[in-house]
Amino acid sequence: SLIYADVSLFGKWMMLYLKEDWSSDDNGSDRVFKSGSLIYVDAQNFLDYSKAKGEGQDEDIAKAASKLSYHVLFEPTATTSYDGYSATKNYLILDILDDVKQHLKFYKLGEGGGPFVAVGGDEEGQLRAAHASGVDSKESDLFWLTCSSYTQPSTLYLADASKCSTEKSGDEYIVRELKALPHMY
């Protein structure tokens, strides 16, 4: 059956933002993935599994399913939701809302293109609007970050995802402020 999801690629990984629950009968695993989840899987293994399902040979389906390994980057709760992600050369920056407070979470591509590893981000949610966008996602880990809040005017920063760490909290990834609207208060 069909999967209702936004699909994108990052290296060898197929990223799937699910728009409805995805049953274990359809995804080839022993797990149901919730609507609103962001998961990823090796793209070639997923395509092989999809091809085997299309051809309908039970033995081929089972063999292809055994190679699938889904990884969950985000699963919604009663208070959290996924608001998108941005990519740099080696990092994913997830935008998560928790009770209307925004969290940026950073994940680094594993060794040799392996699974993503959480490397830090906002320890606590912030009442702000923020958007991250890779400067050149093929060549660097720099990204543009725009932030604004009730008391902070819209501000553009140059930031570096590689400066994010689990040992620090806050905005250690900001390299410098580039431009800001004037304060209104």
Side-chain angles (χ1 to χ4, degrees):
S1 78
L2 294 175
I3 174 176
Y4 293 98
D6 288 339
V7 178
S8 58
L9 297 171
F10 189 101
K12 71 176 189 172
W13 302 108
M14 178 181 289
M15 313 295 294
L16 301 162
Y17 170 63
L18 303 177
K19 296 187 175 186
E20 67 179 16
D21 288 351
W22 194 23
S23 74
S24 57
D25 294 338
D26 291 333
N27 67 42
S29 75
D30 57 356
R31 179 164 180 200
V32 174
F33 296 102
K34 289 172 53 175
S35 177
S37 295
L38 178 65
I39 63 174
Y40 65 102
V41 63
D42 182 286
Q44 188 59 57
N45 291 344
F46 183 82
L47 293 173
D48 291 345
Y49 171 73
S50 297
K51 180 180 177 187
K53 271 191 77 168
E55 293 172 354
Q57 300 294 324
D58 289 341
E59 186 177 306
D60 292 341
I61 293 171
K63 182 179 176 184
S66 71
K67 294 180 182 177
L68 290 174
S69 179
Y70 293 98
H71 305 272
V72 178
L73 278 175
F74 175 78
E75 186 172 79
T77 65
T79 63
T80 62
S81 65
Y82 167 79
D83 198 32
Y85 79 84
S86 183
T88 69
K89 183 177 181 181
N90 298 298
Y91 292 83
L92 284 179
I93 306 164
L94 266 59
D95 186 358
I96 307 298
L97 296 176
D98 186 359
D99 283 332
V100 196
K101 294 181 182 177
Q102 187 174 40
H103 291 261
L104 294 179
K105 299 288 184 186
F106 291 75
Y107 293 86
K108 184 176 186 197
L109 190 58
E111 287 293 318
F116 291 96
V117 178
V119 294
D122 298 331
E123 197 169 291
E124 293 185 14
Q126 300 179 33
L127 284 174
R128 67 169 182 202
H131 176 74
S133 178
V135 171
D136 183 354
S137 61
K138 302 253 188 272
E139 298 295 326
S140 81
D141 290 320
L142 294 175
F143 64 98
W144 307 115
L145 177 67
T146 55
C147 294
S148 64
S149 70
Y150 293 111
T151 58
Q152 175 194 3
S154 294
T155 306
L156 173 64
Y157 300 96
L158 179 63
D160 187 347
S162 67
K163 292 187 178 204
C164 191
S165 84
T166 55
E167 298 165 5
K168 303 176 192 171
S169 64
D171 297 336
E172 71 274 357
Y173 45 83
I174 292 178
V175 175
R176 70 176 177 268
E177 180 180 314
L178 299 175
K179 195 96 170 155
L181 290 175
H183 283 275
M184 300 299 289
Y185 304 104

